[in-house]
Amino acid sequence: MGSNLNTTSHAGGPAGFRVYELGRLKTGGSIEIIELYAGHMRIGLCSLGARIVYVDTPDRRAELNTISLRYPSAENYESDRLYLGATVGRVANRIASGQCDLGDHTLSLTK
């Protein structure tokens, strides 16, 4: 993909998003990056668990720098057990039967 899909303007400059491929999974599927940008700031989210892959923002010398930790390749995200950059928990939308145990209590969730 790799092209700008949506762009608007605001006081700080152009704003929008683009989607591009980070790499391929062992299963053959792809991991994509959804990049959100506004002015001189960019945030990249991974399609594998909505992970924050990068946050780029100007430093005190107005040079664009990454201020987040990231892996160097798609393969690292596929095998990651620490959930680096994850914005949702590892069990998001996967709670069986709408119940989970919390200490001595069983919570019943809305189905």
Side-chain angles (χ1 to χ4, degrees):
M1 291 177 152
S3 61
N4 289 339
L5 299 176
N6 184 10
T7 304
T8 60
S9 291
H10 63 84
F17 67 93
R18 69 183 185 119
V19 179
Y20 63 93
E21 186 176 285
L22 175 65
R24 308 294 289 178
L25 297 168
K26 292 175 186 172
T27 60
S30 67
I31 298 177
E32 295 178 325
I33 297 292
I34 298 91
E35 180 181 90
L36 309 173
Y37 57 88
H40 297 290
M41 186 169 184
R42 297 184 308 209
I43 298 174
L45 302 170
C46 173
S47 62
L48 186 66
R51 297 169 187 240
I52 297 172
V53 176
Y54 59 86
V55 178
D56 295 343
T57 189
D59 62 15
R60 64 181 173 208
R61 293 179 302 274
E63 296 175 10
L64 196 63
N65 281 298
T66 300
I67 60 169
S68 58
L69 294 174
R70 69 177 289 180
Y71 289 120
S73 69
E75 294 81 21
N76 298 118
Y77 284 97
E78 186 174 19
S79 63
D80 176 35
R81 298 292 178 242
L82 301 175
Y83 305 100
L84 182 65
T87 60
V88 295
R90 65 182 182 86
V91 293
N93 198 31
R94 293 184 180 91
I95 298 175
S97 303
Q99 293 183 337
C100 62
D101 294 327
L102 183 62
D104 299 350
H105 300 44
T106 297
L107 299 175
S108 294
L109 308 172
T110 303
K111 295 181 185 180

